[in-house]
Amino acid sequence: MTLLAEGLTKSFPGVRALSGATLSVRPGSVHALLGENGAGKSTLVKILTGVYRPDAGRILLDGAPMRFGSPLEALRAGIGVVHQERNLVPEFTVAENIALQHLPRRFGLVDRARMRAEARRCLDLLDLDLDPDTRVGDLSVAQAQLVEIAKALSVDTRVLLLDEPTASLTGDEADRLYRIVARLTATGHAVVLVSHKLEEVFAVADTVTVLRDGHSVAEAQPLADYTRDQIVDLMVGRAHAAVELGARTVDRGAVPALALTGVSTGHGHRDLDLTVAKGEIVGLYGLVGAGRTELARALLGLDTITAGEVAVHGTPARITSVGQALGEHRIGYVPEDRKGEGLFLEQPIARNVGVTVWRRLSRAGLLPDRAERDLVARYTDLLGIRLASPRQLAGQLSGGNQQKVSLAKWLAADCDILIVDEPTVGIDVRTKAAFHELLAGLAAQGRAILLISSDLPEIVTLADRIAVMADRRIRGTLPNTRAYDEMAQRVIRLVHAPLPQEVR
Amino acid sequence: MTAAETLTAQPVAAPRRGWRRTVRGSEFTLVTIALIGFVALTVATDGNMLTAGTLAAFFRFLAVPMVIGLAQMTVLAIGQMNLSVGVLTGFCAMVSAWLMLAAGWPAVLAVPGALLLGALVGLVNGILVVRTRINAFIVTLATMTIVDGLRYGVNGPRTYQDYSPGLQRLGQASVLGIPVVFIVAVLVAVAVWLFFARTVAGRHLLASGGSPFAARLSGVSNDRSILVAHTVSGLLAGVAAVLTLAQSGSVNATIGDDLLLPSFAAPIIGGVALAGGVVSVLGTSVAAFIVRLVDVTQAQFGINRRWVDLIVGAVVLGAVLVGAVRQRLSRRSS
């Protein structure tokens, strides 16, 4: 079955995720879909699988126009997907998971025999020797991954989309998976592979589409025509309108505000070295899942640090709770998920800003209304947060203003080390630029900022140095020249460099 | 500031759209319903409601439902429930009466004793929830059963009376025609409002209830919020026990049996979010008033008691539905 998606366009409030992207996939081919963070890969995958509806453009299957109202409709049309994150029910058996989308029924009850037979058939397609009655929770990560593929094939799937399928697999397991992919294409399936591991892409894919800024810069080209470097060039060579921010002077001779030496964490980070000086913005770049947020959480005491040393202003620190990070070390964390983790949506703005300082403001356990109001006014003014009234609920603000409120509470708490996680995701361009100026201004006032971002232009605009993280290790730290093309090339090469200790 | 706003720990935002104004006015609506109901009942009883005795009785028996509603509201603030408030009220009343009659304590000591016992059992509830990580519904279901047994254990099926003439006189006393027990309940409501609006602990409680993740990342200890909420809830059950001792001349092991539904009815009708993070002291108090109106109507017209339960139950269900719709609307707008 030939899949053709033409001129797909999709906008979210403030962001145009796709603008006229095209993807054409032939049966029997492994088609690599490549692009940097934010290039539109996930949006494209989600449109093809019926999660999103495109604003414009069309999808043709064997020439017939399709319109998917739901993931189930896409699946019935023959497009299966294995998402990057697991979508299995751990308490169910392998057979139950595979057949979940269309449980065979008899007299209104689940026909377990047919369900098992159906699962067996899908597992056989993959030549997988798994007992259909095993609980999925008892499987290894790799086995669960293969069960997901079996599940994607359980309907008469002709096009299979794999989104970063080897992200959590070892080399051997990945090889096994790709042998299965080869078998599927041999039987006429079309496979679309989204992966950031270029070695794998070159090993298994035959054609390639590269997305950049929401449109295709290479459309269904034979992969053999390209070298690795040419592909990287295609991925990053985006036109870049940089906001020029005044240069900051960073005193590198002084004791760094935050210094990590040989830090390992309970989440799998190994041997990290990283310093952030006063007045410096260090960008921590990496792909989604590289372990950057997890590192931030470990620094805040939400995860354990198993080895190495964290020093705050030169003094070794053992941080075990957010309260301690805030109270003793003045470290603040602006989380990525502002709605879920940054704000109390049902509470007035004033409460959101004041939450970190109530204890300090209180007199004999009572909070003076006046002191809180003054404090809130100071920081809402400073950050340019426009309020209808301080009693307005945080949930009623726009995304950009919500992010500012989420930041304001740490400024109110007088933090001098700020960890800012993906601050401008889902924020419109103009607010984004204003936010960048704000962060640069905060650094200029002497705060140390660790900026976690998957947005390369953002990092190149803001950071003094760029640390690149992949697979829970820091692959290198680069001084930022602020020349976008050059920095982008160097950063992307670090991200895609094979791990030295990973010998195949 | 309108009267409706002064007693609200959780002021709703500046109105921007039509429906928001309605949400903001949910307490205003309640006050209106309460007034209309009161006037209607007055008219229907040919003014009997306004005679000094009836009016005083009305407010005297409003005190306990109000306080018990606030006790439940405190735990709802963190998104949990406390099923043990009713029996705990009975248990505290029985122990306090025992202290006065059997142990010979004066009321000045037995009253703080009841409060302390309530706070202590609440604290135990909190510790169990924090330590076991078991749902508070299950934990308090268990402690409810245990406390129920203990309540009966104090004096078996027998009744305590004449435990403290002073306390009982206070229970019948009025200041300017307003029963003292009701004044105490209003003062307690003001204290609870102050707790949520102006104290660090109260604010932290609302933060934990509103978003435990955000609270944790803001340096708020959710475990401490759970302990504080259950302790305050127990303390308020203790207050309800003291009010019961004062207003009724005798107590036995059935005290508190009929308080569980009202404890939920008041905050839920009053607009408190079951998911936590939003409380309304005024709403809860006015809702208790409305439930009391239904009770009086039943007594005045000799309606079958079952009808009252049916009506209160239906109103609670309706209030929960309205709350769910309101939440969906606010989600959509944000």
Side-chain angles (χ1 to χ4, degrees):
Chain A
M1 187 158 63
T2 307
L3 168 70
L4 175 63
E6 273 183 330
L8 290 183
T9 301
K10 177 76 185 172
S11 295
F12 297 104
V15 197
R16 173 163 272 212
L18 277 184
S19 48
T22 293
L23 179 72
S24 128
V25 187
R26 281 176 296 104
S29 140
V30 178
H31 193 113
L33 177 61
L34 304 177
E36 259 310 286
N37 290 331
K41 287 171 303 186
S42 337
T43 310
L44 181 56
V45 168
K46 283 182 174 151
I47 287 177
L48 291 178
T49 53
V51 178
Y52 294 154
R53 250 158 279 189
D55 300 336
R58 54 185 192 152
I59 301 169
L60 304 172
L61 276 180
D62 280 338
M66 306 299 287
R67 211 167 260 285
F68 303 134
S70 72
L72 197 60
E73 284 178 32
L75 195 68
R76 291 208 172 114
I79 300 180
V81 63
V82 177
H83 289 289
Q84 195 174 345
E85 59 280 2
R86 295 284 73 82
N87 285 299
L88 297 174
V89 187
E91 294 303 320
F92 281 18
T93 65
V94 169
E96 284 165 338
N97 268 289
I98 291 176
L100 193 59
Q101 295 137 330
H102 49 96
L103 285 171
R105 257 166 291 210
R106 206 167 57 158
F107 312 126
L109 297 176
V110 172
D111 185 343
R112 298 195 64 87
R114 247 168 71 206
M115 180 180 80
R116 240 180 253 120
E118 168 68 14
R120 192 68 266 164
R121 184 186 68 81
C122 297
L123 293 170
D124 284 345
L125 272 180
L126 304 179
D127 203 13
L128 261 181
D129 189 25
L130 267 182
D131 181 358
D133 292 326
T134 318
R135 256 182 75 243
V136 161
D138 296 334
L139 298 179
S140 73
V141 176
Q143 285 172 321
Q145 178 85 316
L146 295 172
V147 170
E148 286 229 41
I149 297 180
K151 179 180 169 185
L153 295 172
S154 69
V155 184
D156 189 22
T157 303
R158 307 304 295 163
V159 181
L160 181 64
L161 283 77
L162 301 174
D163 191 355
E164 299 284 0
T166 59
S168 46
L169 302 187
T170 65
D172 279 350
E173 292 165 342
D175 288 347
R176 170 140 188 232
L177 185 131
Y178 285 127
R179 276 200 299 279
I180 288 170
V181 166
R183 196 206 325 258
L184 287 174
T185 50
T187 54
H189 289 81
V191 174
V192 177
L193 174 67
V194 179
S195 174
H196 74 274
K197 294 181 181 167
L198 286 184
E199 317 89 86
E200 289 182 5
V201 167
F202 273 90
V204 299
D206 47 49
T207 38
V208 62
T209 291
V210 180
L211 289 184
R212 187 207 301 158
D213 293 336
H215 57 264
S216 332
V217 288
E219 282 176 17
Q221 301 294 314
L223 190 58
D225 293 357
Y226 293 91
T227 63
R228 262 186 61 129
D229 279 359
Q230 284 170 326
I231 292 285
V232 171
D233 284 348
L234 277 174
M235 280 158 62
V236 301
R238 82 180 94 173
H240 177 58
V243 190
E244 281 302 320
L245 296 166
R248 289 179 301 277
T249 44
V250 178
D251 181 7
R252 273 184 225 295
V255 178
L258 181 68
L260 279 62
T261 332
V263 164
S264 300
T265 73
H267 213 278
H269 300 86
R270 290 288 165 268
D271 210 21
L272 307 181
D273 292 326
L274 187 69
T275 59
V276 189
K278 278 185 73 171
E280 185 181 36
I281 300 182
V282 173
L284 184 56
Y285 181 82
L287 297 163
V288 174
R292 295 163 300 161
T293 299
E294 291 76 6
L295 175 63
R297 298 179 73 90
L299 290 176
L300 291 165
L302 294 172
D303 210 335
T304 51
I305 288 177
T306 51
E309 185 187 83
V310 176
V312 180
H313 297 300
T315 319
R318 279 231 156 271
I319 301 172
T320 53
S321 76
V322 183
Q324 192 197 357
L326 170 67
E328 287 174 33
H329 305 290
R330 300 211 174 284
I331 303 178
Y333 173 61
V334 183
E336 175 183 3
D337 176 10
R338 57 180 171 265
K339 282 185 196 281
E341 299 191 328
L343 295 174
F344 306 98
L345 296 176
E346 313 268 328
Q347 305 268 352
I349 318 267
R351 298 269 177 100
N352 274 282
V353 176
V355 60
T356 49
V357 285
W358 287 336
R359 216 166 268 153
R360 209 179 67 210
L361 290 180
S362 68
R363 298 270 172 277
L366 284 186
L367 281 162
D369 217 13
R370 184 69 183 269
E372 187 182 32
R373 226 180 315 138
D374 290 351
L375 183 97
V376 170
R378 189 153 97 236
Y379 288 101
T380 46
D381 283 355
L382 181 75
L383 300 187
I385 303 170
R386 274 187 295 272
L387 306 177
S389 117
R391 295 199 152 189
Q392 194 177 1
L393 302 187
Q396 295 171 317
L397 291 174
S398 69
N401 277 326
Q402 284 185 347
Q403 192 63 288
K404 285 180 185 172
V405 170
S406 179
L407 180 63
K409 73 175 169 201
W410 298 111
L411 298 181
D414 208 12
C415 287
D416 47 30
I417 300 172
L418 285 173
I419 303 173
V420 187
D421 197 348
E422 301 283 5
T424 58
V425 166
I427 288 178
D428 69 88
V429 182
R430 200 175 338 153
T431 314
K432 192 168 168 174
F435 208 85
H436 287 166
E437 278 172 37
L438 185 72
L439 286 178
L442 293 175
Q445 289 163 18
R447 291 187 180 83
I449 297 179
L450 182 62
L451 169 71
I452 298 175
S453 179
S454 306
D455 181 346
L456 201 45
E458 172 167 283
I459 289 224
V460 174
T461 305
L462 278 175
D464 296 293
R465 286 181 300 134
I466 302 174
V468 177
M469 181 176 270
D471 291 336
R472 296 182 172 72
R473 285 172 175 79
I474 289 182
R475 298 299 185 84
T477 306
L478 308 165
N480 187 3
T481 63
R482 292 201 163 73
Y484 179 74
D485 291 346
E486 177 205 339
M487 289 315 297
Q489 299 275 351
R490 294 176 61 191
V491 167
I492 298 302
R493 287 213 164 80
L494 273 181
V495 172
H496 294 288
L499 259 182
Q501 53 268 65
E502 214 175 69
V503 186
R504 293 249 177 99
Chain B
M1 248 189 200
T2 64
E5 276 174 63
T6 35
L7 264 184
T8 321
Q10 177 53 70
V12 183
R16 281 160 63 195
R17 277 173 225 113
W19 65 264
R20 264 206 191 285
R21 207 163 292 146
T22 356
V23 172
R24 184 195 196 190
S26 71
E27 281 152 355
F28 180 78
T29 316
L30 278 173
V31 171
T32 315
I33 293 174
L35 287 178
I36 291 174
F38 190 78
V39 170
L41 194 57
T42 306
V43 173
T45 57
D46 295 328
N48 185 27
M49 275 300 287
L50 295 180
T51 58
T54 321
L55 201 59
F58 182 89
F59 282 106
R60 187 172 300 123
F61 289 102
L62 175 56
V64 169
M66 228 172 100
V67 172
I68 210 74
L70 294 173
Q72 191 64 261
M73 184 192 81
T74 311
V75 179
L76 290 176
I78 54 167
Q80 298 188 351
M81 292 180 185
N82 183 0
L83 299 183
S84 66
V85 280
V87 291
L88 181 55
T89 301
F91 179 51
C92 290
M94 286 304 283
V95 168
S96 191
W98 178 85
L99 284 175
M100 288 185 274
L101 283 175
W105 290 26
V108 210
L109 289 179
V111 164
L115 302 183
L116 192 70
L117 179 65
L120 215 64
V121 175
L123 181 65
V124 170
N125 275 338
I127 291 173
L128 287 173
V129 172
V130 168
R131 280 290 164 82
T132 62
R133 298 274 157 216
I134 295 171
N135 192 306
F137 184 91
I138 306 296
V139 167
T140 57
L141 181 68
T143 52
M144 175 180 85
T145 316
I146 293 168
V147 172
D148 187 18
L150 292 175
R151 181 182 60 167
Y152 187 80
V154 177
N155 200 25
R158 290 176 298 278
T159 300
Y160 281 130
Q161 48 195 354
D162 304 326
Y163 30 80
S164 164
L167 190 62
Q168 280 157 284
R169 251 198 316 279
L170 210 59
Q172 299 303 317
S174 292
V175 177
L176 300 172
I178 306 167
V180 170
V181 285
F182 179 68
I183 295 175
V184 171
V186 170
L187 290 178
V188 166
V190 171
V192 172
W193 169 77
L194 202 67
F195 172 72
F196 279 110
R198 285 294 178 78
T199 69
V200 177
R203 294 279 189 90
H204 281 178
L205 221 115
L206 287 174
S208 295
S211 170
F213 308 106
R216 192 155 88 120
L217 287 178
S218 303
V220 174
S221 162
N222 289 321
D223 286 353
R224 191 191 319 205
S225 292
I226 294 172
L227 291 180
V228 170
H230 281 280
T231 307
V232 171
S233 181
L235 174 68
L236 290 174
V239 172
V242 173
L243 293 177
T244 306
L245 283 168
Q247 74 186 23
S248 65
S250 61
V251 289
N252 62 30
T254 64
I255 294 287
D257 276 349
D258 52 353
L259 286 179
L260 189 58
L261 177 66
S263 83
F264 282 104
I268 291 172
I269 299 172
V272 172
L274 284 176
V278 181
V279 296
S280 167
V281 172
L282 180 70
T284 302
S285 307
V286 175
F289 179 95
I290 294 173
V291 173
R292 182 87 189 94
L293 276 180
V294 177
D295 270 340
V296 171
T297 312
Q298 178 262 335
Q300 288 281 337
F301 297 101
I303 304 166
N304 189 334
R305 177 78 224 166
R306 295 281 153 232
W307 284 105
V308 176
D309 291 345
L310 189 137
I311 291 169
V312 173
V315 171
V316 168
L317 193 62
V320 173
L321 287 175
V322 168
V325 169
R326 201 190 305 166
Q327 199 158 21
R328 205 166 307 151
L329 284 173
S330 80
R331 285 272 151 73
R332 199 170 299 163
S333 83
S334 61

